[in-house]
């Protein structure tokens, strides 16, 4: 019990830690996928660290130490297991308070591990001081942001060495090390073997065309077909395809030197590995970490389905089967592209909005030669639309887009091009929603929808949505809002369940 000053004794702290370690060891023994990515296990008898789902021989409890992150395990001197491959573990979604800040910072570090960013720049983007960020990050992950970033780069490099035939220097550059010498030295120091030695020890998968293929893990269950159906209904002609159980699309990024990089990606499902396969055009290698980050966001790979279902299961009292275990929140790959399609979709059908978006692509998109039939263009960037001369209606009106929708698209393009709106993980969603609603033609529904899919905000709730109202009829919008209070902070997932129930 705490003393009069609220302090807890050392013995009580030790007992709590022992109980926690016993629970983690039980999860490790059971190979429980629910805990995959939530902690890592350092094994003193082998010097390696594993995921909770590792199929290697179970070590004794006294040889196990548990860590909040892969970076913490590596800082303690452990090297990654070659069997369970910690670099494939799913991440964690941000939820609230200090943990949310630390996890948003971790997501940004993972997303941009191929780039050079200081902790000060990271803190500025997150709206806090670098001192506060270091403190909450250390408390959440047991390492500093810089140490975490170092592990992100090493694990990305390890994945590339294991799964692709890229040269070691290409691996070093793609993982953000800047120089081969620096990469070799750090890799050998942390993992006690050279990159070429690791490649000899691990099986290499064959290349597919001009692309490289990597895997990204998730926590089961995963409704792959449901996700594909959602994306197929909204796929923009020339830019996206859903075919033969896979999702394909064109991609455009800008490098650190602001040079445009274009290519394609293909995403498939590896059921037996609890992972998605991601084939990336070799042209996208300079922005690989960003590509993988967008795929994680699009397919909601950081979701913990058990936590979400535990909170939303009471929805089934409204109607049996209303909430389904494993439901994911579809994100997006390109926030501007998704936002334009959402604006076009105001008061018209999904199919009609898709047709209009396809016309924009044909008129203002960038042609891209691919070997994939049906992928012909890259969606126009915000800068492209913002730079159009003359009244926007002259450019979009002939495509069948009303003047009001055209002005909304132009306003959003200008705001994104100027950096006034940010759909990234580091931005406070409520602040961005407020900015969006100040723009012409963007109301509560559109702003909430963009926060839900563009920013991956789990608590976004477009309560005036037609599908939401139909699923919860005959309740009024005010009654729906009141009902949804008990679904926080997972109202976005509740929305998807309501859509799926129709």
């Amino acid at each position: 019990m705490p003393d009069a000053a609220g302090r807890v004794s050392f013995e009580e702290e030790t007992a709590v830690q022992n109980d926690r370690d016993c629970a983690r060891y039980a999860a490790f023994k059971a190979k429980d996928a629910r805990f995959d990515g939530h902690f890592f296990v350092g094994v003193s008898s082998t010097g390696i660290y594993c995921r909770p789902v590792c199929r290697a021989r179970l070590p004794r409890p006294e040889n196990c130490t548990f860590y909040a992150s892969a970076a913490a395990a590596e800082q303690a001197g452990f090297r990654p297991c070659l069997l369970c491959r910690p670099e494939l573990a799913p991440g964690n979604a941000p939820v609230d308070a200090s943990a949310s800040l630390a996890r948003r910072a971790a997501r940004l570090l993972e997303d941009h591990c191929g780039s050079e960013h200081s902790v000060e720049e990271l803190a500025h983007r997150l709206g806090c001081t670098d001192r506060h960020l270091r403190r909450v990050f250390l408390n959440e992950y047991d390492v500093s942001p810089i140490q975490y970033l170092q592990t992100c780069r090493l694990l990305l490099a390890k994945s590339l060495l294991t799964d692709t035939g890229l040269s070691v220097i290409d691996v070093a550059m793609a993982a953000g090390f800047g120089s081969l010498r620096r990469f070799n030295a750090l890799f050998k120091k942390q993992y006690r073997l050279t990159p070429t030695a690791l490649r000899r020890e691990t099986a290499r998968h064959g290349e597919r065309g001009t692309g490289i293929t990597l895997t990204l893990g998730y926590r089961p269950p995963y409704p792959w077909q449901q996700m594909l159906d959602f994306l197929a209904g909204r796929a923009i002609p020339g830019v996206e395809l859903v075919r033969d159980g896979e999702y394909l699309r064109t991609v455009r990024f800008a490098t650190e030197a602001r040079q445009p990089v274009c290519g394609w990606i293909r995403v498939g499902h590896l059921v037996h590995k609890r992972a998605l396969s991601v084939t990336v055009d070799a042209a996208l290698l300079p922005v690989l970490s960003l590509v993988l980050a967008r795929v994680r966001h699009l397919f909601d790979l950081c979701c913990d389905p058990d936590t979400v279902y535990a909170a939303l299961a009471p929805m089934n009292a409204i109607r049996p089967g209303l909430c389904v275990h494993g439901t994911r929140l579809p994100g997006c790959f390109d926030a501007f592209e998704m936002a334009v399609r959402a604006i076009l979709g105001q008061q018209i059908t999904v199919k009609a909005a898709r047709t209009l978006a396809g016309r924009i692509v044909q008129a203002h998109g960038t042609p891209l030669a691919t070997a994939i039939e049906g992928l012909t263009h890259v969606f126009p960037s915000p800068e492209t639309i913002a730079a159009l001369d003359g009244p926007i209606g002259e450019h979009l009106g002939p495509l069948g887009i009303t003047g009001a929708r055209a002005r909304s698209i132009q306003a959003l393009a200008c705001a994104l091009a100027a950096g006034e709106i940010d759909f990234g993980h580091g931005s406070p969603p409520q602040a961005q929603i407020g900015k969006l609603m100040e723009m012409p033609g963007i109301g509560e529904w559109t702003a909430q929808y963009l926060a839900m899919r563009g920013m991956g905000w789990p608590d976004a709730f477009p309560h005036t949505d037609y599908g939401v109202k139909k699923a919860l009829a005959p309740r009024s919008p005010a009654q729906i809002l009141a009902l949804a209070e008990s679904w926080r902070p997972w109202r976005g997932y509740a929305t998807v369940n309501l859509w799926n129930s129709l």
Side-chain angles (χ1 to χ4, degrees), residues 106-312:
R107 289 282 292 277
L108 285 172
L109 290 171
E110 293 164 10
D111 294 359
H112 298 275
C113 70
S115 309
E116 293 287 345
H117 292 287
S118 67
V119 176
E120 289 75 17
E121 291 172 321
L122 181 64
H124 178 74
R125 183 168 180 178
L126 292 166
C128 65
T129 65
D130 59 301
R131 181 181 178 185
H132 178 63
L133 177 60
R134 287 188 177 93
R135 182 168 59 248
V136 298
F137 201 96
L138 184 64
N139 186 59
E140 182 72 13
Y141 292 106
D142 297 328
V143 290
S144 70
I146 295 301
Q147 290 169 328
Y148 191 93
L149 176 61
Q150 173 183 290
T151 298
C152 289
R153 288 174 173 164
L154 285 169
L155 291 179
L156 176 56
K158 180 180 176 295
S159 185
L160 290 169
L161 289 167
T162 303
D163 290 341
T164 78
L166 290 173
S167 68
V168 175
I169 190 166
D170 282 343
V171 169
M173 297 303 111
F177 285 96
S179 79
L180 181 59
R181 182 178 180 182
R182 179 181 171 194
F183 170 54
N184 281 328
L186 189 59
F187 199 93
K188 188 173 182 179
K189 176 185 175 183
Q190 288 296 110
Y191 297 162
R192 294 188 281 285
L193 76 168
T194 64
T196 51
L198 172 69
R199 175 160 278 170
R200 283 195 299 269
E201 288 190 23
T202 54
R204 215 186 79 196
H205 295 281
E207 297 302 304
R208 186 173 181 175
T210 59
I212 59 172
T213 301
L214 299 168
T215 54
L216 298 176
Y218 62 76
R219 296 180 186 88
Y222 193 94
W224 175 248
Q225 190 58 51
Q226 189 179 82
M227 183 67 82
L228 283 188
D229 291 344
F230 182 92
L231 296 175
R234 293 158 180 80
I236 299 174
V239 175
E240 299 174 281
L241 282 175
V242 172
R243 187 167 61 203
D244 300 329
E246 294 182 319
Y247 172 80
L248 306 92
R249 65 162 297 126
T250 58
V251 172
R252 187 225 321 267
F253 282 99
T255 64
E256 287 288 292
R258 298 189 179 278
Q259 294 297 315
V261 178
C262 297
W264 54 266
I265 65 168
R266 177 192 287 109
V267 184
H269 190 206
L270 303 173
V271 181
H272 60 291
K273 290 187 175 181
R274 295 192 294 266
L276 302 188
S277 66
V278 185
T279 303
V280 181
D281 188 348
L284 298 171
L285 197 58
V287 291
L288 180 62
S289 65
L290 291 173
V291 173
L292 297 178
R294 297 286 181 90
V295 173
R296 289 189 192 98
H297 171 53
L298 172 60
F299 291 97
D300 195 17
L301 299 186
C302 293
C303 173
D304 183 343
D306 295 299
T307 299
V308 174
Y309 185 71
L312 297 183

Side-chain angles (χ1 to χ4, degrees), residues 431-452:
Q432 301 306 313
I433 287 173
K435 293 178 183 179
L436 286 167
M437 291 181 63
E438 293 174 0
M439 294 183 178
I442 295 184
E444 177 76 15
W445 176 86
T446 307
Q448 290 285 337
Y449 182 82
L450 297 186
M452 183 173 73

Side-chain angles (χ1 to χ4, degrees), residues 93-103 140 489:
V95 182
D96 55 14
S98 295
S100 175
L101 176 63
R103 291 180 181 181
E140 182 72 13

